[in-house]
Amino acid sequence: GAVVSQHPSWVICKSGTSVKIECRSLDFQATTMFWYRQFPKQSLMLMATSNEGSKATYEQGVEKDKFLINHASLTLSTLTVTSAHPEDSSFYICSATRGTSGRGEQYFGPGTRLTVT
Amino acid sequence: QKEVEQDPGPLSVPEGAIVSLNCTYSNSAFQYFMWYRQYSRKGPELLMYTYSSGNKEDGRFTAQVDKSSKYISLFIRDSQPSDSATYLCAMSARGNNRLAFGKGNQVVVIP
């Protein structure tokens, strides 16, 4: 159990357009979902934390108007990169936690590679 | 000082050798400790999860936590080429799902 999917797995878009990435927990209800960004050969950088039905909490330095996060249900969170620019090209990964135990286990999706031309 | 330190230096070992990875941390509130395996261009996969000090074994993998020294380790016995990946340590405090990650260790197992 604890499978998380992401769609699409990779996307290429033109500068100035918006891109939506979906994150789904397939076999559990995810009370909290996280969005990360990862650059080549670097660790994960947390962008925001989202709880179902409430506004996302963004990390310092992450533009909330550029990276729109919606956690509409216990199994789905979306990240929309608005007015994308080449510097937004990166590997975006979501994760989810089960329940409210606060034990820290996060289950990660396979990631979405975004290339902005 | 970063919360979690993990020497990112690539590690190459021959097939069948024991791989030893470790992380140190500074936050004494951390109680949950994880090791994730990440293959290239994939999301991290939860490999081992331990709570507080002690050892946990799962097949060829052993995770150790020494809270008094703020030090955690992962051992991989009889390493296989399929173990070639980046290994990330991660930890969190009670009641806080937010994870603090190490930089990751790239491991290459040579056939």
Side-chain angles (χ1 to χ4, degrees):
Chain A
V3 179
V4 177
S5 70
Q6 271 184 253
H7 179 79
S9 56
W10 61 272
V11 58
I12 301 173
C13 71
K14 291 188 176 181
S15 187
T17 61
S18 295
V19 173
K20 181 185 282 189
I21 302 170
E22 289 187 352
C23 176
R24 293 182 184 273
S25 56
L26 298 185
D27 53 0
F28 67 99
Q29 292 189 326
T31 50
T32 305
M33 286 184 165
F34 303 83
W35 286 96
Y36 294 86
R37 189 171 176 176
Q38 187 176 37
F39 292 103
K41 299 191 183 299
Q42 292 190 24
S43 191
L44 300 159
M45 183 185 79
L46 180 64
M47 298 175 66
T49 303
S50 75
N51 292 293
E52 184 262 339
S54 59
K55 288 186 179 180
T57 301
Y58 291 81
E59 294 299 300
Q60 192 171 10
V62 178
E63 298 175 59
K64 60 181 68 176
D65 293 331
K66 180 167 189 60
F67 298 100
L68 300 178
I69 292 171
N70 183 280
H71 193 159
S73 76
L74 284 172
T75 59
L76 173 65
S77 176
T78 59
L79 167 68
T80 302
V81 183
T82 62
S83 187
H85 291 285
E87 57 266 30
D88 298 323
S89 298
S90 190
F91 193 49
Y92 293 88
I93 312 174
C94 71
S95 71
T97 58
R98 286 191 291 200
T100 56
S101 64
R103 290 166 37 132
E105 292 164 278
Q106 289 184 24
Y107 299 91
F108 287 83
T112 296
R113 185 159 304 279
L114 170 64
T115 302
V116 184
T117 60
Chain B
Q1 183 187 15
K2 290 179 70 81
E3 269 195 314
V4 182
E5 299 278 1
Q6 181 179 11
D7 182 358
L11 181 65
S12 292
V13 299
E15 183 175 354
I18 294 175
V19 175
S20 173
L21 305 171
N22 58 76
C23 291
T24 59
Y25 62 96
S26 57
N27 188 345
S28 57
F30 288 147
Q31 292 200 25
Y32 305 107
F33 304 91
M34 286 141 272
W35 286 94
Y36 285 89
R37 177 175 63 194
Q38 186 176 23
Y39 292 112
S40 181
R41 299 175 179 265
K42 299 290 185 184
E45 170 195 8
L46 182 60
L47 202 57
M48 298 290 283
Y49 175 90
T50 53
Y51 166 67
S52 201
S53 283
N55 292 358
K56 182 176 181 179
E57 190 173 313
D58 184 358
R60 296 184 295 111
F61 299 91
T62 299
Q64 288 185 349
V65 173
D66 182 347
K67 288 194 70 180
S68 62
S69 301
K70 295 190 177 68
Y71 187 92
I72 69 171
S73 302
L74 177 71
F75 300 96
I76 307 173
R77 290 183 300 281
D78 187 25
S79 57
Q80 305 293 310
S82 58
D83 295 327
S84 298
T86 296
Y87 291 81
L88 295 144
C89 64
M91 46 201 79
S92 68
R94 182 189 292 273
N96 186 348
N97 284 324
R98 188 188 170 112
L99 291 178
F101 285 95
K103 284 189 175 181
N105 246 138
Q106 185 181 1
V107 173
V108 177
V109 180
I110 303 166

